[in-house]
Amino acid sequence: MARYFEQLELPMRIVILGNSGSGKTTLARRLAAGHGLATLDLDTVAWEPGKIAVPRDPAEAAADVKAFCESNDRRVAEGCYAGLIDAALAYSPTLLFLEPGVETCLSNCRNRPWEPHKYPSKEAQDEKLAFLLAWVSEYYSRDGDLSLRAHQALFDGYAGPKQKLAAADDAAALI
């Protein structure tokens, strides 16, 4: 499994789904660096630019995902938005579902570096940490696009190549 992606036929197309803190962004960055892939963090299309937690029109966000997929043969997209992941699945990528468990996700969130595309400063990001931790914990009980239930259903229903990864070591072994 250590060279999983070397077995894929080019062009390489990958979509990563999971809870906040599951390691999606880290894995996407490593895959992009190691394989020369264009990257799309779905947070950048799901939310209004420059605003925190103000959703964009879902059709506009999905159109941006489609445009990214159509303009990049070698790509990785990652996020927790089942609807946007579903838009990317129309282009037959390998689907990776990261589900390392709530404690790993919470720990990763506590240790998350500053995300300048989301927050004006590390301090502003840290002010939202308590909310993020509560939200991450609710992944297993909430309903909707951002829930374990929606992610599992998307994974189960996808007929293309896919893997569910339960541990950070599983994801690291792919690179």
Side-chain angles (χ1 to χ4, degrees):
M1 184 180 208
R3 297 290 163 229
Y4 174 81
F5 288 103
E6 291 176 7
Q7 300 170 28
L8 296 178
E9 295 204 18
L10 297 179
M12 188 180 301
R13 297 179 296 263
I14 304 162
V15 177
I16 306 170
L17 174 68
N19 193 6
S20 289
S22 63
K24 299 177 307 294
T25 302
T26 300
L27 180 58
R29 286 180 183 152
R30 288 178 181 162
L31 288 168
H35 299 280
L37 307 177
T39 61
L40 177 62
D41 174 345
L42 294 178
D43 284 339
T44 64
V45 298
W47 304 104
E48 285 292 337
K51 299 179 182 176
I52 297 173
V54 178
R56 285 182 66 213
D57 175 88
E60 290 177 13
D64 285 350
V65 171
K66 290 175 183 179
F68 172 79
C69 292
E70 290 171 0
S71 62
N72 296 285
D73 282 340
R74 297 179 51 75
R75 64 183 175 269
V76 58
E78 60 86 9
C80 59
Y81 312 95
L84 295 178
I85 293 290
D86 193 39
L89 293 180
Y91 297 88
S92 303
T94 295
L95 172 61
L96 301 177
F97 178 16
L98 301 186
E99 214 299 89
V102 68
E103 291 308 320
T104 296
C105 292
L106 292 171
S107 177
N108 289 344
C109 287
R110 287 185 192 100
N111 296 311
R112 180 174 285 184
W114 175 40
E115 298 174 293
H117 66 286
K118 295 180 191 176
Y119 299 96
S121 68
K122 175 73 166 122
E123 293 75 24
Q125 179 174 308
D126 289 346
E127 289 173 10
K128 304 290 185 193
L129 182 59
F131 172 82
L132 177 62
L133 296 176
W135 189 82
V136 166
S137 295
E138 294 166 358
Y139 176 69
Y140 301 90
S141 59
R142 72 173 159 254
D143 290 317
D145 197 49
L146 306 170
S147 69
L148 173 62
R149 223 168 279 136
H151 292 178
Q152 188 65 55
L154 191 62
F155 181 82
D156 291 344
Y158 184 55
K162 61 186 176 182
Q163 287 195 26
K164 186 172 184 180
L165 305 170
D169 290 343
D170 294 341
L174 295 175
I175 301 169

